[in-house]
Amino acid sequence: MPAIGREDVARLADLARIQLSDDEISRFAGEFDAIMDAVASVSEVASQDVPATSHPLPLTNVFREDVVTDTLTQEQALSGAPDAEDGRFAVPQILGEE
C-alpha cells in the first residue's frame, strides 16, 4: 500500500481546515502508515470464503414508532442561531474557496 507522507497529511489537514504543527504532521504520517500496514495485513489473510462484515455480531435496528408531535416554529428554531437571514440560518461560505 502506498505510504501516507507528510505532504498528504498537510493537504488533508488543509482540506479539513485543521491547523497542525510540523511535529503533529510527522506524528500523524507515522500513525497513518501504521494503520495502512494493519489494513494490509488483514487483507493478506482475508479469503473469498469469508464474507466481509462491518461488525462481528449481527445487529438489528430497533426503531421507535413514528408519532407526530409538535415541532419548533421557524422563529423558535432561529432564536438560538448566531446569524439568520431571510428566515434561514446564515453560515460562512466554504465551497469555492481555495
Side-chain angles (χ1 to χ4, degrees), residues 64-71:
R64 66 171 172 81
E65 178 128 1
D66 192 13
V67 178
V68 177
T69 61
D70 292 331
T71 59

Side-chain angles (χ1 to χ4, degrees), residues 3 5 7-8 16 20-21 24 28 35 47-48 59 74 77 88:
E7 298 80 23
D8 298 320
L20 297 176
S21 67
E24 289 172 322
F28 288 141
I35 292 169
S47 64
Q48 296 296 331
L59 298 176
Q74 183 179 24
R88 295 177 288 197

Side-chain angles (χ1 to χ4, degrees), residues 5-50:
R6 288 178 44 82
E7 298 80 23
D8 298 320
V9 173
R11 177 71 176 138
L12 288 172
D14 184 54
L15 289 172
R17 294 185 174 5
I18 299 172
Q19 292 181 350
L20 297 176
S21 67
D22 287 339
D23 291 338
E24 289 172 322
I25 291 173
S26 296
R27 189 179 85 227
F28 288 141
E31 289 176 0
F32 282 132
D33 278 340
I35 292 169
M36 298 291 280
D37 290 342
V39 169
S41 66
V42 169
S43 298
E44 289 174 6
V45 297
S47 64
Q48 296 296 331
D49 60 336
V50 177

